[in-house]
């Protein structure tokens, strides 16, 4: 059973950067599509980015394109989300999630496709 733990959140000023890390145990991230989601207070959970198991495809929602970068380190069994030029509207609890799919060429940020979730980590962008 894959287990996911997020780290790297915190408080940052607008325009700043954070790097979130999703550490996997129990299985290898290579066999999963991995996605990052976020949920702001009073709002629904939304997909942010994903990386396919094959590593070929990375997807970003429009609101984070050019600012966020998803990457995978198979040696460390982690998937990171580098967040630059942060805005107050990026404030949310961020979750990583995994969907079993060895060799998958595509990924999605539809939450219903994912059945392994981390506990979430707070990111606050404020001056």
């Amino acid at each position: 059973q894959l287990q996911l733990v997020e780290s790297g959140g915190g408080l940052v000023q607008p325009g700043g950067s954070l790097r979130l890390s999703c550490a996997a145990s129990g299985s290898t991230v290579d066999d999963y599509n991995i996605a990052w989601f976020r949920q702001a207070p009073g709002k629904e959970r939304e997909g942010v980015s994903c990386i396919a198991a094959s590593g070929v495809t990375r997807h970003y929602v429009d609101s984070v394109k050019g600012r966020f970068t998803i990457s995978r380190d198979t040696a460390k069994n982690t998937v990171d989300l580098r967040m630059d030029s942060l805005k107050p509207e990026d404030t949310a609890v961020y979750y990583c999630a995994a969907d079993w799919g060895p060799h998958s060429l595509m990924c999605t940020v539809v939450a219903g496709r994912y059945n392994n979730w981390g506990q979430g980590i707070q990111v606050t962008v404020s001056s």
Side-chain angles (χ1 to χ4, degrees), residues 65-118:
K65 278 182 182 177
R67 300 189 299 122
F68 289 12
T69 304
I70 193 169
S71 62
R72 185 175 69 185
D73 188 327
T74 55
K76 295 181 179 179
N77 214 29
T78 58
V79 174
D80 289 358
L81 185 69
R82 169 77 180 186
M83 305 185 295
D84 296 315
S85 302
L86 282 162
K87 305 175 182 180
E89 51 263 44
D90 295 316
T91 295
V93 177
Y94 283 71
Y95 302 85
C96 64
D99 173 35
W100 170 260
H103 312 298
S104 293
L105 298 178
M106 302 296 292
C107 63
T108 177
V109 291
V110 174
R113 290 293 304 269
Y114 293 83
N115 51 21
N116 291 278
W117 291 81

